[in-house]
Amino acid sequence: MLIALIGGLLALYLYAIKPNSPSKKNLKPFLGRYYAHRGLFDNSSDAPENSLNAISLAVEQGYGVEFDVRITRDKILVVIHDNRLQRAAGMNKLVTEMTFDELREITLFHSQEEIPTLHDVLNLVDGRVPIIVELKQDGGGDTTICDVVSPVLDDYNGDYMVESFNPVLMIWYKKNRPSVIRGQLSTNHLKEGKKGLLLNLSLQYLLFNFLVKPDFIAYNHIYGNNLSLFINTRLFGITTVAYTLKSQKELDRNRTRFDILIFDSFIPE
């Protein structure tokens, strides 16, 4: 009886964490290069994170680029990591509560760089390097950003894939854009102080994979010994992405553990 119960729970766990079949999508265009996290940035320079200057520098050096997309109050797609503008611009306001015209009056990290739109970034990259687009929606089931971003990316001619910490957004992509390469982002949410034990354990251990069916998993390399990540890699053969490597030592240590490497704060050798 006990053995049957354990076997049933194990089967349920493996079902829950199983990703999409590796043969379903072609990820080869994304392999074989490093990815600059938010561009090749220095927040004390004229090329701060997620700025056109930082992304241009990365593209010119042949790096792929991973960047963040949020939506404004008037449903304009902008490239910025934080929802609250305190760190990037010294303002205690939310991107989602501001119009695009209001955001256009802001410069990033004491530079002259403005917050770019997704259109700005796509026009700049222009298919020269592959990109990883992280969709930012801070909790909940609102998928408005998917409705707005998907037609924009549909018209983009370069190689791109989408990812998010929020599985609801990737479930939307599975249903509405099944051919687009989608990825589940995760980390040790509890150690990073996220509230909600059950939800964060489920996210941390990839228990929504049966709904998302991700084509790749992007995981905080610091917690790369996660059991579900290990099983996804070794048993299911999914493509894995390491974020964010901040030294050559970290890059070298993770080179054989992950398929795709995202870096910042140094230039890879």
Side-chain angles (χ1 to χ4, degrees):
M1 182 68 177
L2 179 60
I3 294 176
L5 177 60
I6 293 172
L9 290 173
L10 178 60
L12 184 62
Y13 167 65
L14 292 177
Y15 172 79
I17 69 169
K18 186 177 180 181
N20 207 6
S21 168
S23 63
K24 293 289 181 67
K25 305 280 176 66
N26 178 22
L27 274 74
K28 287 183 180 179
F30 298 92
L31 304 177
R33 72 172 75 221
Y34 300 129
Y35 287 76
H37 184 232
R38 308 177 195 172
L40 207 58
F41 75 87
D42 178 348
N43 285 340
S44 62
S45 75
D46 62 354
E49 65 183 57
N50 279 322
S51 68
L52 290 181
N53 273 356
I55 292 170
S56 179
L57 287 172
V59 173
E60 288 169 4
Q61 296 197 34
Y63 296 119
V65 184
E66 189 267 2
F67 58 84
D68 312 282
V69 175
R70 290 187 177 274
I71 191 169
T72 65
R73 192 178 75 198
D74 50 347
K75 295 183 173 53
I76 302 298
L77 298 163
V78 291
V79 176
I80 187 168
H81 178 268
D82 300 359
N83 189 19
R84 191 169 297 277
L85 292 164
Q86 190 68 54
R87 186 177 67 91
M91 298 178 63
N92 190 25
K93 292 186 177 182
L94 300 178
V95 171
T96 48
E97 293 176 350
M98 299 182 71
T99 67
F100 176 65
D101 286 341
E102 290 171 334
L103 284 177
R104 270 302 197 200
E105 298 177 4
I106 296 169
T107 55
L108 295 166
F109 295 97
H110 305 289
S111 73
Q112 297 303 307
E113 285 288 288
E114 298 175 345
I115 299 172
T117 66
L118 177 59
H119 283 285
D120 293 334
V121 172
L122 296 180
N123 287 337
L124 171 64
V125 177
D126 195 28
R128 289 179 288 167
V129 297
I131 58 175
I132 304 174
V133 182
E134 180 181 345
L135 303 184
K136 289 289 192 181
Q137 202 281 330
D138 300 322
D142 185 357
T143 58
T144 301
I145 190 170
C146 296
D147 295 321
V148 180
V149 79
S150 54
V152 176
L153 292 175
D154 287 347
D155 290 336
Y156 180 62
N157 291 322
D159 292 315
Y160 75 91
M161 51 189 187
V162 297
E163 64 179 8
S164 183
F165 282 101
N166 189 334
V168 173
L169 304 187
M170 295 300 93
I171 292 169
W172 186 99
Y173 255 86
K174 184 186 75 167
K175 178 181 178 181
N176 296 282
R177 294 293 190 279
S179 64
V180 173
I181 298 170
R182 61 185 177 272
Q184 182 63 57
L185 270 160
S186 194
T187 183
N188 190 322
H189 293 279
L190 297 176
K191 282 192 175 180
E192 293 187 0
K194 302 292 177 64
K195 296 180 180 179
L197 177 62
L198 185 58
L199 174 62
N200 285 303
L201 276 176
S202 298
L203 293 169
Q204 182 174 315
Y205 284 95
L206 306 171
L207 297 182
F208 292 108
N209 275 7
F210 76 104
L211 294 172
V212 175
K213 286 297 178 184
D215 303 301
F216 69 94
I217 294 170
Y219 217 91
N220 186 338
H221 74 96
I222 296 171
Y223 309 113
N225 59 351
N226 178 275
L227 176 62
S228 294
L229 179 65
F230 178 83
I231 293 173
N232 267 266
T233 304
R234 298 302 178 89
L235 180 61
F236 298 130
I238 196 170
T239 296
T240 55
V241 178
Y243 79 90
T244 301
L245 308 166
K246 293 184 176 293
S247 70
Q248 186 66 42
K249 183 177 180 181
E250 289 186 351
L251 187 147
D252 291 339
R253 186 166 59 242
N254 288 281
R255 193 187 301 275
T256 59
R257 299 174 67 200
F258 292 86
D259 302 300
I260 294 172
L261 305 175
I262 299 174
F263 73 94
D264 75 25
S265 306
F266 77 105
I267 301 298
E269 295 177 358

